[in-house]
Amino acid sequence: MSKITAAITAVGAYVPDYVLTNDILATMVDTNDEWITTRTGIKERRILKDKDKGSSFLGIKAAEDLIAKKNLDPKEIDMVIFATATPDLPVAATSAYAASQIGAVNAFSYDLQAACSSFLYGMSTAASYIESGRYKKILLIGADKMSSIIDYTDRTTCIIFGDGGGAVLFEPNEEGLGLQDEYLRTDGIGREFLKIEAGGSLLPPSEETVAKRQHFVQQDGKTVFKYAVSNMADASTKILERNNMTGQDVNWLIAHQANKRIIDATANRMGLDDSKVLMNIQRYGNTTSATLPLLLHDYEKQLKKGDNIVFASFGGGFTWGSIYLKWAYNS
């Protein structure tokens, strides 16, 4: 019998209509387009303005896009993993609601939270289930309504984040395509440098925590940048070394879209030409769990069967890693 690998066989995505440009942000906080662009590479981001809609809406829309493109019967989906740092509710699983809404009535589902590495870790999880032989169709959704946890009076964070959703379908493959290798890591030191202080079991919500704006993302930008540059680049080069590859063997780098300088540093360490580095940070900013599937969606037509793709991410916790995947189809 051929070894079963886990391949991505379909992609879907969704971003809200409202465009928050750098110029609009400059009317809200002390910043300007040149300052944001030179430091982050971001020109605009999408924002879900409807207060009655959460991350589930973004994920459901992305899943529906995938289902329509693939002409997939949602009843055939065995499992739904919803990667998010901004679940609709603290207890009720966002994945369960999303699965029901798309008609995946035969799937079990759960949420996966690893900050900006949530989707990357979800890829590892979905692939492991497929490789076990017990599941045939796993829908991995990455979606975040980051605007719900961003303080738009804090220029260090509000310039970075946007809202969006993406989804991929994992299925068994016997041609040797799909996920080949992974290098995933964590370090609890990150808890001090990128966090939301209140709302969890350590510091439950109160009038005081709301007044102190402790329910918004706080970041020590310089420290996070330093760790992100070194760790994302290290993980990506380790993946190459472990698989006897160089930058010449890589067709595409799909890196978490947090900061253009971090992406450039990772590509340089890997010895990659700029033409191999997929980027949409200028349009969406950092959509956290949605950045990787949004890149797949935006560049799907350029991906060819057999292409060597390296995924890389870095997020709060700290969480980070890299995955090597062979693309399984021609769009």
Side-chain angles (χ1 to χ4, degrees):
M1 269 182 66
S2 303
K3 181 178 182 279
I4 295 173
T5 52
I8 292 173
T9 60
V11 178
Y14 175 81
V15 291
D17 293 332
Y18 180 78
V19 180
L20 178 59
T21 64
N22 291 345
D23 289 336
I24 295 173
L25 269 177
T27 68
M28 300 160 64
V29 290
D30 181 19
T31 190
N32 59 67
D33 175 63
E34 185 191 10
W35 193 90
I36 296 170
T37 304
T38 55
R39 283 161 180 79
T40 68
I42 301 168
K43 300 293 285 185
E44 58 189 42
R45 62 294 288 145
R46 301 297 185 95
I47 303 295
L48 181 58
K49 300 288 274 186
D50 192 332
K51 289 182 169 61
D52 296 324
K53 293 183 171 71
S55 295
S56 64
F57 174 79
L58 300 166
I60 289 164
K61 284 289 194 183
E64 288 173 343
D65 179 46
L66 181 153
I67 288 165
K69 282 164 58 181
K70 181 74 171 171
N71 195 22
L72 173 68
D73 181 354
K75 294 186 181 70
E76 294 179 3
I77 298 170
D78 301 313
M79 180 179 176
V80 176
I81 301 173
F82 201 112
T84 185
T86 54
D88 284 5
L89 303 167
V91 174
T94 304
S95 58
Y97 177 70
S100 295
Q101 290 297 111
I102 63 173
V105 295
N106 295 312
F108 80 98
S109 58
Y110 59 84
D111 296 1
L112 193 156
Q113 207 284 71
C116 292
S117 300
S118 297
F119 193 86
L120 189 79
Y121 286 17
M123 289 175 65
S124 169
T125 307
S128 298
Y129 277 111
I130 292 290
E131 289 164 6
S132 76
R134 294 200 301 273
Y135 302 94
K136 304 297 183 192
K137 287 180 168 58
I138 297 178
L139 181 67
L140 171 61
I141 299 169
D144 272 301
K145 185 181 178 181
M146 291 303 294
S147 60
S148 67
I149 57 170
I150 295 303
D151 180 355
Y152 285 93
T153 66
D154 176 9
R155 73 169 187 169
T156 64
T157 55
C158 73
I159 64 170
I160 299 168
F161 295 97
D163 302 337
V168 301
L169 184 70
F170 273 94
E171 293 187 89
N173 183 279
E174 294 187 359
E175 299 177 87
L177 303 171
L179 198 145
Q180 306 293 309
D181 195 14
E182 62 182 44
Y183 181 84
L184 307 176
R185 290 293 184 270
T186 56
D187 186 346
I189 194 174
R191 185 161 156 139
E192 296 303 311
F193 306 113
L194 179 53
K195 62 187 173 182
I196 294 177
E197 285 184 335
S201 58
L202 268 180
L203 189 58
S206 67
E207 288 183 17
E208 185 181 7
T209 62
V210 173
K212 289 183 174 180
R213 308 183 77 79
Q214 290 174 287
H215 295 269
F216 295 119
V217 170
Q218 297 173 24
Q219 171 172 273
D220 177 343
K222 287 182 180 176
T223 303
V224 173
F225 180 86
K226 182 183 73 174
Y227 275 95
V229 166
S230 61
N231 286 322
M232 213 159 95
D234 283 349
S236 302
T237 52
K238 277 191 172 66
I239 276 286
L240 295 186
E241 290 164 7
R242 281 172 27 161
N243 291 276
N244 298 313
M245 296 165 66
T246 67
Q248 291 182 320
D249 301 309
V250 176
N251 296 100
W252 310 106
L253 171 65
I254 295 185
H256 173 56
Q257 305 288 288
N259 185 301
K260 186 178 183 295
R261 291 184 294 165
I262 298 172
I263 300 164
D264 289 342
T266 301
N268 289 338
R269 279 278 300 279
M270 294 172 69
L272 290 185
D273 185 77
D274 286 348
S275 63
K276 295 182 174 184
V277 183
L278 303 188
M279 214 173 298
N280 58 15
I281 189 172
Q282 66 278 11
R283 293 201 303 278
Y284 305 136
N286 181 354
T287 55
T288 304
S289 307
T291 63
L292 301 183
L294 278 173
L295 278 169
L296 285 175
H297 173 267
D298 286 1
Y299 290 94
E300 186 181 14
K301 287 183 170 63
Q302 289 178 222
L303 309 180
K304 299 286 183 280
K305 185 174 180 178
D307 278 358
N308 290 322
I309 303 176
V310 173
F311 294 81
S313 195
F314 182 89
F318 290 127
T319 60
W320 73 92
S322 183
I323 282 176
Y324 164 37
L325 178 139
K326 280 186 175 290
W327 195 246
Y329 65 95
N330 295 314
S331 176

